[in-house]
Amino acid sequence: MKTKLLILIMLLAPGAHGVMAFCGFYVAKADATLFNQKSQVIIVRDQNRTVITMSSDFKGDVKDFAMVVPVPEVLSRDNIRIAKSEIFDKLDAYSAPRLVEYYDANPCMQYLKDKYEMRSAANAPMAVMEAEEANGYGAYKVTVEASYTVGEYDILILSAQESGGLKAWLTDNGYKIPENAGEMLDPYIKDGLKFFVVKVNLEAHKKQGYAELRPIQIAFSSNRFGLPIRLGMANASGDQDLIVYAFTRKGRVEVANYRTVELPTDRNVPEFVQQKFGNFFKDLFKRSYEKEGGKAAFLEYAWDLSSKNFVKCDPCSTTPPEYTDLREAGVFWVQKNANNGWNGSDYQGDVFITRLHVRYNRKNFPQDLAFQTTPDMEHFQGRYIIQHAVKEDLSCDDAQKYYQDVAQRRERELRELASLTGWKPSSYASYVDEYSRRIGDDNRWIGGDNFIDKNSLNVSAQNESGWMGWFAKAMMAVLAFVLLTTIIAGRRKEERARR
């Protein structure tokens, strides 16, 4: 039966500053589920010891799943285990870019009323191999160095002398590999790497009863610190998203052979972003990626998780990793602390976590990722801020200035939104109008706005129909009466004179 070679990830063998002040509250996150074609990897590094946990978003029939990972040495059974998939959910929820919110104080109140609400968010040998295949080079010049069944997986450790033979061996043993796989395998063979080959043991998988394939964790020693991505592009179309959670004893992890840049952070964005934060972050990442020419890795999170550091996130989108989480992730040097007090760690040891987001393709990332541990202990998080304005109508002396401030602030937020995502401010004009319309309301005449209209804009009509109109008419009548009386008196005087 042909098995589809789905994913090929590999390890390239060998190889305090100030805490951010913050008092807002977490309200939403942009987790890894936003992106299709994604993989997540946990990589733990101390001296030359590396532990890697690999998870994929494989969807399909498990009989079609296979994975080939170049490794620096023949792994023993003790250095291979199945991890819990929940550890990825935990780390993703803890470190994902987040939206936080503040509320304006009501300028017409004498005290601040707290409207905030914390929203917490959080060895059996492989049966399929015949003895003569497993131990000999044969025509393929491929050697099966070891074979194991671990959980629901059948695992082989292969070595090869040339890529053509390895490609033929994989094909003849039921792996459907891409046409260009040979040229991609060749550099690893020349480097003397082995190949960690995995496929699903259908019977074991059925007994396990898991609907999804669980992550595989491997450990090895090597002077090189990296992650192979080239093989993963052999059968991929378009961009791939990779989330890396890196743990060291001290300091950020950066990509050494490509630029590592920080995501835009600590930006004030409009309130309506809360309802569309997923789309907001996808467009922000896409715009940042394009600004860097598609040739950079992005830092999304960095934090000191050492047991001596009590502030393990700020704000916390979920409970920070605990002892069992760190051990599940492969952080092998932390020790259980049974005597932790209030707000203390339940483990002992120095730990620093770095979250990197890499969008890669064959054109922009022709080399595997090489990492380096740095002494940089500065905390970082992708953090976006919304400031809620007071909604009710205000009538105090400070109300007008508050309305003006909010309208100006919202204009700045729309410009920031356009800068981050490319969304057009003109599409959200009502966001500013909501408060600019209120400016000037406190200068109205007592008695209502209609007063101004009737006495200034329609003054002619008012005079004609109001008391001034009647007065004028009366005066005109009096004058007419006086004039008529005078004329009549004059005519009578003339008649008497003629007589």
Side-chain angles (χ1 to χ4, degrees), residues 10 17 23-24 58 134 260 268 294 327 360 400 416 436 451-452:
M10 116 146 198
H17 312 315
C23 56
F58 175 77
T260 302
N268 288 80
R327 296 293 295 194
Y360 62 95
Q400 285 301 300
E416 187 72 90
S436 61
F451 181 84
I452 298 176

Side-chain angles (χ1 to χ4, degrees), residues 15-216:
H17 312 315
V19 176
M20 183 183 302
F22 176 73
C23 56
F25 289 88
Y26 162 84
V27 292
K29 66 177 183 293
D31 58 26
T33 60
L34 287 175
F35 301 95
N36 297 320
Q37 304 289 331
K38 73 173 190 311
S39 297
Q40 297 184 77
V41 175
I42 304 169
I43 184 165
V44 177
R45 179 74 173 180
D46 184 47
Q47 297 184 12
N48 72 337
R49 186 67 172 169
T50 300
V51 179
I52 291 189
T53 310
M54 298 164 284
S55 175
S56 78
D57 59 350
F58 175 77
K59 301 288 188 304
D61 194 330
V62 294
K63 73 178 188 305
D64 293 331
F65 174 85
M67 179 168 67
V68 176
V69 181
V71 291
E73 61 186 17
V74 176
L75 306 182
S76 69
R77 172 62 184 84
D78 293 339
N79 288 327
I80 305 169
R81 66 181 289 269
I82 305 301
K84 297 177 180 176
S85 55
E86 291 82 1
I87 187 60
F88 284 93
D89 298 334
K90 175 89 179 188
L91 296 179
D92 186 27
Y94 167 72
S95 61
R98 68 224 33 214
L99 182 69
V100 298
E101 63 180 344
Y102 293 94
Y103 286 84
D104 283 352
N106 188 327
C108 298
M109 296 181 69
Q110 294 180 345
Y111 62 93
L112 290 177
K113 182 178 179 181
D114 186 2
K115 296 181 178 179
Y116 302 149
E117 179 181 357
M118 177 69 79
R119 305 176 187 176
S120 297
N123 258 357
M126 189 169 179
V128 297
M129 293 302 303
E130 299 295 338
E132 58 274 21
E133 286 182 307
N135 298 313
Y137 282 82
Y140 305 112
K141 296 184 178 180
V142 171
T143 299
V144 178
E145 303 283 359
S147 62
Y148 314 105
T149 294
V150 182
E152 63 267 43
Y153 298 108
D154 287 332
I155 297 170
L156 296 177
I157 311 295
L158 304 179
S159 61
Q161 290 190 334
E162 51 94 9
S163 59
L166 178 58
K167 179 181 176 183
W169 189 96
L170 290 169
T171 300
D172 291 348
N173 283 275
Y175 298 91
K176 184 179 179 181
I177 65 174
E179 286 299 318
N180 57 351
E183 62 185 73
M184 294 189 172
L185 291 168
D186 197 50
Y188 301 116
I189 294 173
K190 290 179 178 176
D191 274 353
L193 299 181
K194 314 301 179 185
F195 294 90
F196 182 84
V197 181
V198 181
K199 64 181 177 180
V200 176
N201 182 310
L202 298 178
E203 184 176 347
H205 180 258
K206 185 177 180 180
K207 288 181 179 178
Q208 296 287 345
Y210 290 101
E212 298 181 348
L213 297 176
R214 294 177 293 171
I216 300 177

Side-chain angles (χ1 to χ4, degrees), residues 223-250:
N223 292 326
R224 288 190 288 179
F225 180 25
L227 195 67
I229 58 174
R230 284 178 294 174
L231 286 179
M233 293 184 277
N235 55 354
S237 58
D239 296 335
Q240 307 287 306
D241 281 286
L242 172 66
I243 304 295
V244 179
Y245 310 96
F247 291 90
T248 63
R249 284 187 188 267
K250 183 170 290 188

Side-chain angles (χ1 to χ4, degrees), residues 106-391:
N106 188 327
C108 298
M109 296 181 69
Q110 294 180 345
Y111 62 93
L112 290 177
K113 182 178 179 181
D114 186 2
K115 296 181 178 179
Y116 302 149
E117 179 181 357
M118 177 69 79
R119 305 176 187 176
S120 297
N123 258 357
M126 189 169 179
V128 297
M129 293 302 303
E130 299 295 338
E132 58 274 21
E133 286 182 307
N135 298 313
Y137 282 82
Y140 305 112
K141 296 184 178 180
V142 171
T143 299
V144 178
E145 303 283 359
S147 62
Y148 314 105
T149 294
V150 182
E152 63 267 43
Y153 298 108
D154 287 332
I155 297 170
L156 296 177
I157 311 295
L158 304 179
S159 61
Q161 290 190 334
E162 51 94 9
S163 59
L166 178 58
K167 179 181 176 183
W169 189 96
L170 290 169
T171 300
D172 291 348
N173 283 275
Y175 298 91
K176 184 179 179 181
I177 65 174
E179 286 299 318
N180 57 351
E183 62 185 73
M184 294 189 172
L185 291 168
D186 197 50
Y188 301 116
I189 294 173
K190 290 179 178 176
D191 274 353
L193 299 181
K194 314 301 179 185
F195 294 90
F196 182 84
V197 181
V198 181
K199 64 181 177 180
V200 176
N201 182 310
L202 298 178
E203 184 176 347
H205 180 258
K206 185 177 180 180
K207 288 181 179 178
Q208 296 287 345
Y210 290 101
E212 298 181 348
L213 297 176
R214 294 177 293 171
I216 300 177
Q217 188 174 81
I218 59 176
F220 58 90
S221 297
S222 174
N223 292 326
R224 288 190 288 179
F225 180 25
L227 195 67
I229 58 174
R230 284 178 294 174
L231 286 179
M233 293 184 277
N235 55 354
S237 58
D239 296 335
Q240 307 287 306
D241 281 286
L242 172 66
I243 304 295
V244 179
Y245 310 96
F247 291 90
T248 63
R249 284 187 188 267
K250 183 170 290 188
R252 294 182 183 181
V253 169
E254 295 181 350
V255 178
N257 55 339
Y258 297 98
R259 286 184 302 113
T260 302
V261 299
E262 296 179 353
L263 271 182
T265 188
D266 291 335
R267 305 297 180 86
N268 288 80
V269 296
E271 296 174 52
F272 58 77
V273 167
Q274 185 171 357
Q275 282 72 48
K276 49 185 74 176
F277 187 58
N279 289 332
F280 162 80
F281 184 74
K282 285 198 293 187
D283 287 346
L284 178 149
F285 186 85
K286 179 174 182 290
R287 195 170 178 86
S288 301
Y289 171 82
E290 291 172 348
K291 283 183 177 178
E292 298 297 334
K295 298 180 179 179
F298 290 88
L299 177 69
E300 292 189 339
Y301 195 79
W303 210 273
D304 182 11
L305 285 175
S306 297
S307 54
K308 62 189 177 188
N309 180 28
F310 287 96
V311 183
K312 293 184 171 54
C313 45
D314 186 9
C316 291
S317 55
T318 188
T319 306
E322 299 175 337
Y323 172 76
T324 53
D325 301 318
L326 294 175
R327 296 293 295 194
E328 185 65 28
V331 185
F332 54 88
W333 59 84
V334 294
Q335 301 295 318
K336 179 73 174 176
N337 177 19
N339 300 317
N340 62 302
W342 178 83
N343 204 31
S345 303
D346 67 345
Y347 58 88
Q348 292 181 327
D350 293 332
V351 184
F352 196 95
I353 182 173
T354 304
R355 174 180 171 133
L356 298 171
H357 186 165
V358 184
R359 177 168 291 175
Y360 62 95
N361 53 47
R362 298 177 68 176
K363 176 183 177 183
N364 293 331
F365 282 80
Q367 300 177 348
D368 292 321
L369 299 178
F371 295 128
Q372 61 182 0
T373 303
T374 75
D376 189 349
M377 296 284 289
E378 183 176 9
H379 292 165
F380 178 85
Q381 57 185 331
R383 173 174 167 266
Y384 309 95
I385 307 156
I386 56 175
Q387 185 82 30
H388 294 286
V390 176
K391 300 298 182 186

